Amino acid sequence: MLKNHINTIKTIKNPFATKFEILALLFLIFHFALWTSLSTLFDIHSDMADHFMSSRYWSLSYYEHPPMVAWSMAWINLFPNSYHIPLLKIGSVIFNCLLLWQVFRISMLIMPKRYSLYSMLILASTAYLSLGSLFWSIDHPYLLFWLLATRFTLLYINTKNSNYLLLMGASLGFGALSKYITVLFYLSLFIWGIITHKRYKLLKNYYFYAAGIISFIIFLPVLYWNYQNDFMSFWFHLQRVLTGVSGISNLLIFTLGHILLFSPLFVFLGWIKYGKALFGTSLNSADQFLGLSAVVVLVFFSLASLTGSIVEPKYLNVSYLFLYILLAKLLTNKFLIKYRYYLRSSIVVTYLANIGLAVFVYGQATGSHLPLPSALQTKMEGLLFWKDTSAGINNLLEMKDITPPPFVISRDYQLSGILSLYLKNKPFSHTIEKEKRNLWSKPQDISEKGALVVCLQDECNKTIKDVQKRLPSNSINKLGMVKVTFPSKHNRELIIYYLMPLNLPCVGCELSKN
């Protein structure tokens, strides 16, 4: 038993020795420097700001997601406020580099080292892992732990050392703290175990079940939180999968979305090469596991897109991570000799195209060079000028001689979330539409300490009525409008109200009227 543990440690501790590993690290340094530089063009995405909002309130779980994304951001709160935004941007790119590095390490377990670079480079050229470097999302920690679990599973397949299953179980436990669909890993592994049971006897190996117990123990904090809160997070996600838009049209939109997100060229090349290899039975057990994982995730979310309310193309990230690892392996030496220039050129062109897309979005938002649909233009502009917007709110508070309150309220969580990050005093956010999200901003605390109420002009009547209904004892006073004009001549116009703390006299103020 001790010898097995020593062998496990020796296998994991693989020093960076080969030129391919050095090349991989050099590319990741370049990737990090490039996308960190490009991130300075944009403000923090509203969903990313909302996740950081969660990190300021320590909890065993949250309404719309498990806690790992918030926990992974929590260290940033140790730094002064002025460092938060740059650290969020740097942390996002670092996470993406870690994902690419794990892809490279996994590739080295199943193919010659010379091909391992291709899997990483193909993935780095997709919009998801290039432009995606700008967004620190729930998927980042979940993918990292999924890849670690895959790495340990492949080491188990290669060495027959069952200790790797325990490490796999620990990785999946932390993955489940990141995203519930980590359970699909076990489904893939179970199916793989049935297919290959004669050789590996996985389903008869008690280490496999011990791994499941380890995963469950690590996941217990989320289970306990849901028990305390009527399992509302579980019900929320189940409802998203089973209710909402249904029909073939939604599946087609979902399919088109992931083809574009993960590169049309490599999507079709990957599935064609995988299909030929599967039909020709040229896949070994490790390849079968990777391919099966890709197919299980693809089938699950394709079916969910027929019935679910929100199924986004990015949910197939696992499918394409593994498909492109297999693609790199299936590109035989003969293929590379004949088509290597086309393959390398395709990687370079798609990588440059994503850089160009990032620059285009910035240029379009700041200069409006092309006549785009208003909704698309507004979405691009939503990535910019939040510093100016927040400065306008701070100036308005100073002009009214009002101490910035510790809470900011809006109808949707994105608006209050982004303002909680960019306003000078970093107020806690509160959303009207999804009251269950407001773990850190209870109505009683808001009532006692006061808040800013921020709304779009056409939403203010409803927003103020809802705020008054939720906090009937507090006075609400209109402070004015903050207006930011984009080069496209579009305006971001926010109406600002002040929800006064209880027992604070309002001298010379009038009740808000819209």
Side-chain angles (χ1 to χ4, degrees):
M1 181 65 71
L2 179 61
K3 185 178 179 180
N4 285 340
H5 283 291
I6 294 173
N7 289 335
T8 299
I9 295 171
K10 285 182 177 180
T11 307
I12 296 173
K13 190 177 180 181
N14 184 17
F16 306 151
T18 70
K19 65 177 181 180
F20 300 104
E21 291 168 313
I22 294 172
L23 288 172
L25 287 172
L26 289 175
F27 171 77
L28 290 178
I29 292 171
F30 163 77
H31 185 84
F32 171 78
L34 173 66
W35 288 100
T36 300
S37 300
L38 288 173
S39 72
T40 60
L41 298 177
F42 302 96
D43 289 338
I44 299 297
H45 189 274
S46 57
D47 283 337
M48 187 170 159
D50 180 69
H51 296 323
F52 183 63
M53 173 71 258
S54 301
S55 77
R56 297 168 56 194
Y57 180 88
W58 185 263
S59 179
L60 294 179
S61 190
Y62 302 90
Y63 173 53
E64 290 194 12
H65 56 82
M68 186 57 71
V69 66
W71 292 357
S72 68
M73 292 179 174
W75 60 274
I76 295 176
N77 292 293
L78 300 174
F79 293 84
N81 289 347
S82 60
Y83 290 90
H84 290 176
I85 292 172
L87 286 175
L88 282 170
K89 294 180 178 181
I90 291 171
S92 179
V93 184
I94 288 176
F95 243 123
N96 263 51
C97 290
L98 287 174
L99 295 179
L100 291 170
W101 177 250
Q102 286 302 320
V103 165
F104 174 73
R105 301 300 299 181
I106 288 171
S107 301
M108 293 182 69
L109 293 174
I110 68 167
M111 68 182 80
K113 292 181 175 62
R114 71 182 69 178
Y115 301 131
S116 301
L117 276 172
Y118 281 101
S119 60
M120 184 181 73
L121 293 175
I122 290 172
L123 280 162
S125 71
T126 65
Y128 182 78
L129 281 171
S130 55
L131 284 169
S133 298
L134 305 178
F135 309 106
W136 191 338
S137 69
I138 298 171
D139 291 350
H140 278 86
Y142 138 75
L143 283 176
L144 182 61
F145 288 116
W146 189 303
L147 288 171
L148 283 172
T150 300
R151 190 173 167 186
F152 291 131
T153 302
L154 295 178
L155 287 169
Y156 160 71
I157 293 172
N158 292 342
T159 66
K160 314 300 186 297
N161 186 341
S162 295
N163 289 321
Y164 286 117
L165 292 177
L166 303 182
L167 294 173
M168 176 206 74
S171 299
L172 290 177
F174 290 110
L177 291 179
S178 309
K179 207 167 184 178
Y180 298 137
I181 60 173
T182 304
V183 70
L184 294 179
F185 188 103
Y186 273 113
L187 176 60
S188 302
L189 193 59
F190 182 81
I191 297 173
W192 176 84
I194 293 175
I195 294 172
T196 63
H197 72 284
K198 289 183 180 179
R199 183 175 178 185
Y200 293 105
K201 301 180 180 178
L202 175 72
L203 301 184
K204 295 182 180 179
N205 189 337
Y206 69 88
Y207 278 82
F208 173 67
Y209 301 98
I213 294 172
I214 291 172
S215 298
F216 180 77
I217 291 173
I218 294 174
F219 183 68
L220 278 177
V222 174
L223 192 63
Y224 179 69
W225 183 91
N226 273 276
Y227 170 76
Q228 288 183 312
N229 293 275
D230 301 320
F231 298 96
M232 64 179 184
S233 183
F234 293 159
W235 287 116
F236 168 75
H237 286 280
L238 188 63
Q239 187 178 31
R240 290 178 70 180
V241 172
L242 298 178
T243 62
V245 178
S246 61
I248 297 299
S249 60
N250 202 40
L251 173 61
L252 293 176
I253 293 171
F254 171 71
T255 302
L256 178 62
H258 68 73
I259 289 174
L260 294 175
L261 185 61
F262 293 99
S263 174
L265 171 65
F266 294 118
V267 165
F268 291 113
L269 182 61
W271 287 118
I272 289 171
K273 294 292 289 184
Y274 175 65
K276 287 183 177 180
L278 188 64
F279 182 76
T281 63
S282 61
L283 301 177
N284 60 30
S285 291
D287 299 340
Q288 288 174 353
F289 173 69
L290 293 179
L292 187 62
S293 298
V295 171
V296 166
V297 174
L298 174 67
V299 171
F300 177 84
F301 283 113
S302 294
L303 292 175
S305 70
L306 293 171
T307 59
S309 58
I310 303 177
V311 180
E312 300 178 15
K314 67 176 184 176
Y315 292 171
L316 291 187
N317 39 36
V318 167
S319 290
Y320 287 105
L321 287 175
F322 293 155
L323 181 69
Y324 291 164
I325 290 174
L326 285 176
L327 175 61
K329 181 177 182 179
L330 294 172
L331 296 177
T332 62
N333 191 45
K334 181 179 178 181
F335 181 95
L336 284 175
I337 291 174
K338 189 174 182 180
Y339 299 108
R340 64 183 182 276
Y341 295 115
Y342 294 104
L343 179 63
R344 294 169 185 174
S345 298
S346 298
I347 292 172
V348 171
V349 168
T350 51
Y351 194 90
L352 292 176
N354 289 307
I355 298 173
L357 184 57
V359 174
F360 168 76
V361 170
Y362 176 78
Q364 186 68 23
T366 56
S368 188
H369 301 292
L370 294 178
L372 297 179
S374 179
L376 181 58
Q377 182 69 28
T378 301
K379 194 168 185 178
M380 291 182 179
E381 292 168 350
L383 298 172
L384 294 169
F385 294 161
W386 286 107
K387 294 178 184 177
D388 301 291
T389 304
S390 300
I393 296 174
N394 288 325
N395 291 338
L396 186 60
L397 291 173
E398 290 179 8
M399 188 170 60
K400 299 289 185 178
D401 196 25
I402 296 174
T403 301
F407 298 99
V408 56
I409 302 172
S410 69
R411 172 154 298 280
D412 62 275
Y413 72 88
Q414 289 95 341
L415 180 55
S416 57
I418 195 74
L419 291 176
S420 74
L421 178 62
Y422 278 95
L423 284 172
K424 186 186 298 184
N425 67 317
K426 297 290 189 293
F428 284 92
S429 65
H430 186 91
T431 173
I432 296 297
E433 287 184 340
K434 297 185 177 180
E435 187 175 0
K436 293 179 181 179
R437 295 178 58 94
N438 303 319
L439 301 177
W440 44 77
S441 53
K442 304 297 184 184
Q444 181 179 352
D445 295 330
I446 297 175
S447 183
E448 293 176 356
K449 299 177 182 179
L452 289 179
V453 182
V454 183
C455 53
L456 301 175
Q457 193 160 11
D458 58 350
E459 296 178 349
C460 281
N461 283 331
K462 182 172 175 51
T463 298
I464 295 303
K465 288 179 181 178
D466 289 340
V467 172
Q468 289 176 325
K469 184 178 180 180
R470 188 170 296 183
L471 300 159
S473 301
N474 295 79
S475 298
I476 304 178
N477 303 285
K478 186 174 182 178
L479 300 182
M481 174 191 290
V482 170
K483 180 177 179 180
V484 174
T485 301
F486 290 83
S488 64
K489 307 305 180 184
H490 287 188
N491 294 321
R492 177 184 290 153
E493 297 178 349
L494 299 179
I495 311 300
I496 313 300
Y497 293 83
Y498 180 38
L499 182 98
M500 299 190 62
L502 287 178
N503 305 320
L504 180 68
C506 181
V507 180
C509 296
E510 296 180 1
L511 189 63
S512 64
K513 296 180 181 179
N514 298 299

